[in-house]
Amino acid sequence: MGEGTTRAVPDEPDLAELAALYRELHANPELSGAEHRTAAEVARRVAGLGYRVTTGVGGTGVVGVLRNGPGPTVLLRADLDGLPVREETGLPYASTATGVDPDGREVPVMHACGHDLHVSCLVGALGVLARSPDAWSGTVLAVFQPAEETGTGAQAMVDDSLFERFGRPDVVLGQHVVPYPAGMVGLHAGPAFAATDSLRIRMFGKGAHGSRPETGIDPVVMAAATVLRLQTVVSREIAATETAVVTVGSLHAGSKDNVIPAEAELTVNVRSYTPAVRAAALAGIERIVRAEAAASGATREPEFTPLDSFPVLVNDRAAVDRARAALVARLGERSVVDPGPVTGSEDVGAFGAAAGVPTCYWLLGGTDPAEYARAEAAGRVAQDIPSNHSPHYAPVIEPTLGTGVTALVTVALAWLGT
Ligand code: ZN
Ligand code: ZN
């Protein structure tokens, strides 16, 4: 806490120990829903800090509770999972881990979204709070959720009676590391993270010899035309004042040059901030896919299968104001920005929605500030600074970790420390 409060000043985190934890987690990532090793490590650490720890909540989720007198209950959230990405950072603690994906394939695994950093920051913040009982009063409810990347882990913990078993929080707090300069935090009130819908689309042609296209219906051409036409959903059908993203993330058809295959498969990812834009984008996609199939003379209608879905994450305005005031007091005005809404998606909103309480979820800069300044001066931030999910994404450990711990403690104390 800053000056002007009557409470004791919280203890400082052991950043060297947290950095060691971070490197250890980074080198050993696990896929969504399979975070067994990570969960066990978290449970051991958090229990060691004096929290009452429960494992296996909603799958591999871990809950830690620390009661410290009367007062509000603050839910602090981190996510445990890595991604099926082959790490190319070249770091000494880079991952060489593999896992088995839902289709049964062995895939490389990397903490390409920085969830290892979220875990390390939360363990650090829990340590500070546990060692500073005179600085606050109330209950800390630490939630380490599985399977954020599939949009299922938060809801799985809620469905496993999270709030009935561990108490209902007054606010849900958390953070996500992003490619902003380290040392900075970003908060945005209102819709802050986009809704996501992803779908698998199968388009059917008719297989034939590559030398005799007139005897078949080519799904490669059908899919290629579809991919190009889908680019018009955002550019021609969504108002310039609205925001949406339509990405065709995969396209598979055929296996040999002289065989016209029988079908093609696309996966499409859609981001939106309002129900109207979401509906318009999804309807536009379906219309275009059906029309391109018809234009190719397909004899069978395309098939649409919904995959992951995340609701829009809405940050409570009053909670953001309270958090921002505390962060500005602690980190200084220049380190706290409003980045506007981001097109990433997050399932942390499921906790606040289920508990009927405000959510405040902020962004944590993780890029070396000098490197960021160079890219910004050259007008090349988008090209030169790797983003989350990139095989090159590698947050700089400090000052990212220290700022993340400070931000969690500071915002938690904005509820607990008064
Ligand atoms: Zn991610
Ligand atoms: Zn993430």
Side-chain angles (χ1 to χ4, degrees):
M1 295 292 285
E3 315 90 88
T5 64
T6 51
R7 293 204 178 264
V9 173
D11 187 28
E12 290 296 319
D14 183 341
L15 293 176
E17 188 191 323
L18 291 176
L21 169 63
Y22 170 72
R23 286 190 292 265
E24 209 264 328
L25 294 172
H26 189 86
N28 295 282
E30 295 169 298
L31 289 173
S32 304
E35 309 91 336
H36 302 286
R37 183 187 185 284
T38 310
E41 180 66 19
V42 164
R44 190 179 68 76
R45 300 251 181 180
V46 176
L49 296 170
Y51 288 69
R52 184 189 297 175
V53 169
T54 307
T55 57
V57 182
T60 51
V62 179
V63 175
V65 179
L66 186 62
R67 297 186 202 285
N68 184 35
T73 296
V74 168
L75 190 160
L76 299 175
R77 178 272 205 172
D79 37 12
L80 300 168
D81 50 335
L83 282 160
V85 172
R86 188 184 308 279
E87 179 157 0
E88 292 172 19
T89 60
L91 290 166
Y93 50 92
S95 164
T96 55
T98 60
V100 177
D101 76 5
D103 296 331
R105 288 178 302 215
E106 183 162 322
V107 290
V109 187
M110 172 186 178
H111 265 301
C113 203
H115 297 184
D116 45 355
L117 195 94
H118 306 167
V119 170
S120 305
C121 289
L122 182 48
V123 169
L126 297 179
V128 171
L129 291 166
R131 291 191 300 272
S132 315
D134 295 339
W136 59 282
S137 183
T139 300
V140 174
L141 175 59
V143 171
F144 295 85
Q145 77 156 78
E148 191 285 325
E149 294 290 353
T150 54
T152 54
Q155 193 60 45
M157 292 188 81
V158 168
D159 293 345
D160 200 5
S161 304
L162 175 69
F163 301 129
E164 292 80 0
R165 292 162 70 187
F166 304 104
R168 203 177 72 111
D170 293 280
V171 66
V172 174
L173 304 174
Q175 60 188 354
H176 205 301
V177 64
V178 291
Y180 293 161
M184 297 193 69
V185 295
L187 295 105
H188 181 72
F193 280 69
T196 301
D197 292 277
S198 53
L199 48 153
R200 176 181 291 132
I201 299 168
R202 289 174 71 197
M203 303 188 80
F204 302 101
K206 184 177 169 214
H209 197 287
S211 69
R212 300 192 64 210
E214 75 280 12
T215 65
I217 298 170
D218 192 343
V220 174
V221 175
M222 191 191 302
T226 303
V227 170
L228 287 181
R229 180 99 197 179
L230 285 175
Q231 309 309 312
T232 66
V233 172
V234 172
S235 68
R236 302 290 83 189
E237 299 188 34
I238 306 294
T241 48
E242 298 283 0
T243 304
V245 180
V246 173
T247 292
V248 180
S250 72
L251 167 56
H252 295 290
S255 54
K256 195 171 180 334
D257 61 300
N258 64 354
V259 179
I260 294 172
E263 66 172 87
E265 185 184 284
L266 295 73
T267 57
V268 182
N269 187 279
V270 182
R271 309 278 166 152
S272 59
Y273 296 96
T274 67
V277 169
R278 174 176 182 268
L282 291 173
I285 290 166
E286 180 165 347
R287 192 191 71 247
I288 286 170
V289 170
R290 290 191 188 284
E292 287 293 351
S296 293
T299 52
R300 214 175 130 190
E301 283 290 312
E303 268 179 27
F304 299 82
T305 309
L307 303 172
D308 301 344
S309 176
F310 293 70
V312 62
L313 168 62
V314 180
N315 269 334
D316 180 80
R317 200 162 291 277
V320 165
D321 287 347
R322 190 196 284 213
R324 179 180 288 119
L327 288 167
V328 166
R330 182 69 175 79
L331 300 173
E333 192 99 43
R334 294 179 56 194
S335 298
V336 184
V337 298
D338 183 343
V342 298
T343 51
S345 296
E346 251 299 335
D347 73 348
V348 64
F351 294 115
V357 303
T359 298
C360 178
Y361 194 71
W362 61 90
L363 305 179
L364 176 70
T367 303
D368 175 22
E371 192 185 326
Y372 194 93
R374 269 197 305 278
E376 200 171 34
R380 292 185 53 85
V381 170
Q383 294 83 2
D384 293 353
I385 304 294
S387 71
N388 303 64
H389 292 204
S390 156
H392 301 284
Y393 185 64
V396 61
I397 295 182
E398 285 302 341
T400 310
L401 196 48
T403 307
V405 174
T406 299
L408 281 171
V409 171
T410 301
V411 179
L413 290 179
W415 271 263
L416 296 168
T418 51

